[in-house]
Each structure stands twice: as structure tokens, then as C-alpha cells.
Amino acid sequence: MTLVRAWTLLGLGVVLAGLAGCVAGSPPPTPAAARTPDPVSAPPPLAAPVWQVGDQWVYEWTSGSESGTKTVDVVDVRDLNSVRYYVLSLGDAEHYYTAALHWAAAIREGRVEARIVPPQPWFMWPLAVGARWTHQGRFEQREGVATHDDRFAVIGPERVDVPAGGYDAVKLVRETDRGDRDEYWYAPDVRWYVRWLGRRADSRFEERLRGYQPAPRAR
């Protein structure tokens, strides 16, 4: 490892040191689902997936009149200040997730572009239908700092059809004090979400899984 690389990782470890924290707050009212889930038997609670270097997801996205694809790859697993992070490549940025798939930071060209303290818990494991949790966090980026106050709920099982195929999934909802809303469907078969509907003010977007390529697993 070069001296520059060592100092880069050391600095990143300092940046991420305070990110792993507890989710706090009392259970809020369950967000209303966009529609009644399809009649699929409720699955047992799901354990957190294990990602490996080489896992890849490709999504089709639409936002207004624009559309495209994005590819996400697991490129590294790093232990920084006794916390394990998955490092995902998305374009020219690296995104850091905890082992529980809580989003922690985005790094571009060795510099922190954005982070949230504590990491944002899009999932809570074991993932069980009816579970609810809250998150209060400090979101920091170059443009400034904002406070996040989010509410999450596991709505129920649904069968989801996307370009990659049909999946048995679990629907989750995130709502914020800023009026944002996300609906996303986690599928154990791909170890992540297969569909994501989001609203930011008057903007809407959607992502749907186009392809999933897992890294080889030991038998």
C-alpha cells in the first residue's frame, strides 16, 4: 500500500468514525401503502444479506421525461475504526454502506461528497412485516447541512415484476418531515431492492431492476 493510499484510508476512517449509531425515537404512525399488497403469504423475518466483492445490480430509471440505466458494483469491503463497510461503485463515486445496509457516505476522488450521521437505516434486520422505526440524522454535503427526521415501515409482501423478472419481495415505505416519500421493494433473491419509487417535492422517479449478477459464493 502506498503512503498516499494509507493516508487516504486513515482520513476516511476518521470521517466515518462517528457514522455508526443507534436509531432512536418512538414508533410513529405506520405510513399508508400506495395500494393494498398482493395476497402473498407473509414471509418469516428476513436476515440481513451478505454482499461480496463482484456483486452487481443494473437498474433502469425514469425521472420526468428523462431515463437511463445505472450500474452498481460492490468493489470492496473495508474495516474502518472497527466498523465494516461495503464500498459500492456508482459512476465515479464510491458509496459506503454498513453491514446492515445503512447508507453512510459518498466519496468522490478521495473526498467526502456527502455523509449522514448516524448512517441512514433503509432496512432494519431481521426485516419483519409490520416493523417500524425512525431515524434522526445530520446530513452533510458541500452545499450545507440539513437535519433528517425519517419514518420507516415494512408494509408487507408483494410479487413484483421488473425487467429482470418476477420476484417475491417485501415492500417498505419511508416518509420524511420534508414531504419526501419512498416506496421500495426488497427481494431476498437479489439481496437488495428490485423496485424504487421516490418523490422529492414535485419530482418523481422510479428505478426497476434490469439485471443482477452475484459474485460466486462458496458452496
Side-chain angles (χ1 to χ4, degrees), residues 101-158:
L101 310 192
H102 297 180
W103 184 83
I107 311 295
R108 194 184 305 271
E109 297 179 350
R111 299 181 59 186
V112 177
E113 185 172 79
R115 68 172 183 169
I116 190 165
V117 183
Q120 198 167 40
W122 288 81
F123 303 96
M124 291 293 282
W125 311 97
L127 193 67
V129 174
R132 293 171 290 159
W133 61 93
T134 62
H135 174 259
Q136 292 80 41
R138 176 183 171 90
F139 180 69
E140 304 171 358
Q141 56 183 344
R142 296 176 185 177
E143 293 77 12
V145 177
T147 300
H148 279 220
D149 190 350
D150 301 344
R151 303 176 301 279
F152 297 83
V154 183
I155 302 303
E158 286 191 28

Side-chain angles (χ1 to χ4, degrees), residues 19-21 51 83-86 96-104 119-120:
L19 292 182
W51 289 350
V83 178
R84 173 152 292 190
Y85 293 94
Y86 294 115
Y96 281 67
Y97 287 80
T98 69
L101 310 192
H102 297 180
W103 184 83
Q120 198 167 40

Side-chain angles (χ1 to χ4, degrees), residues 52-55 213-219:
Q52 289 187 187
V53 173
D55 288 344
Q213 183 62 51
R217 259 72 175 177
R219 294 183 180 275

Side-chain angles (χ1 to χ4, degrees), residues 174-186:
R174 167 184 175 255
E175 293 181 333
T176 79
D177 59 342
R178 303 173 305 282
D180 297 343
R181 180 181 172 87
D182 295 283
E183 300 172 64
Y184 50 107
W185 287 260
Y186 172 80

